[in-house]
Amino acid sequence: MTYEELFSSVKSEFMNADVSDVNEHLAYQFNITGEAQGIFYAEVKDGKLYVEPYEYYDRDAMFTCKAETLIKIAKGELDPIMAVTLQKLKVEGNIDKALKLKGLIESKKKKSSKKGSKK
């Protein structure tokens, strides 16, 4: 897997998150190690989510992990807190804001299950 493939996959997963009820600014940087090594950020600002392939210097939290770990987290297959416990995810910065990543991922599940229930 290349960095471009990883970024595209994770961005498409993250962009499904419902951030309409997030009233604060959140900025996360993701440092990918090993295969597909690279950096990108996700930012929630004014009720909108942005995911871009750049470093974010004024971030709230920084996550460091391998590509496969981040993909599992983004798809909701691995709980970010469990990933930290298993030492597959390293977190630096504001822990309170870092914990909100889990809520963003879970909002994606709720959003997709709402779509399924409208049939």
Side-chain angles (χ1 to χ4, degrees):
M1 172 181 297
T2 66
Y3 168 78
E4 290 78 15
E5 292 167 336
L6 167 73
F7 177 74
S8 177
S9 174
V10 172
K11 181 175 181 173
S12 66
E13 290 291 334
F14 280 4
M15 292 309 290
N16 288 322
D18 180 5
V19 297
S20 60
D21 61 344
V22 177
N23 297 320
E24 64 185 305
H25 179 260
L26 299 173
Y28 302 129
Q29 179 172 309
F30 295 87
N31 296 339
I32 309 307
T33 60
E35 183 184 6
Q37 178 177 338
I39 294 173
F40 70 93
Y41 75 86
E43 175 184 34
V44 178
K45 183 176 179 180
D46 301 325
K48 292 184 181 173
L49 177 65
Y50 303 90
V51 181
E52 298 297 334
Y54 307 110
E55 199 164 350
Y56 198 104
Y57 293 103
D58 194 22
R59 61 191 169 257
D60 296 311
M62 182 169 59
F63 300 96
T64 303
C65 63
K66 292 184 177 180
E68 62 264 19
T69 300
L70 184 57
I71 288 172
K72 287 179 182 177
I73 290 170
K75 289 183 175 181
E77 297 170 359
L78 176 62
D79 182 278
I81 296 169
M82 180 59 72
V84 170
T85 304
L86 296 171
Q87 297 182 347
K88 292 182 178 239
L89 179 66
K90 182 180 174 186
V91 181
E92 298 176 46
N94 183 321
I95 298 301
D96 289 334
K97 287 195 173 191
L99 287 169
K100 295 184 184 208
L101 175 65
K102 182 177 177 177
L104 295 178
I105 292 165
E106 289 174 351
S107 76
K108 179 182 67 132
K109 289 181 191 174
K110 291 176 192 166
K111 187 176 175 182
S112 61
S113 66
K114 283 180 188 174
K115 284 180 185 175
S117 65
K118 288 183 179 180
K119 289 181 179 178

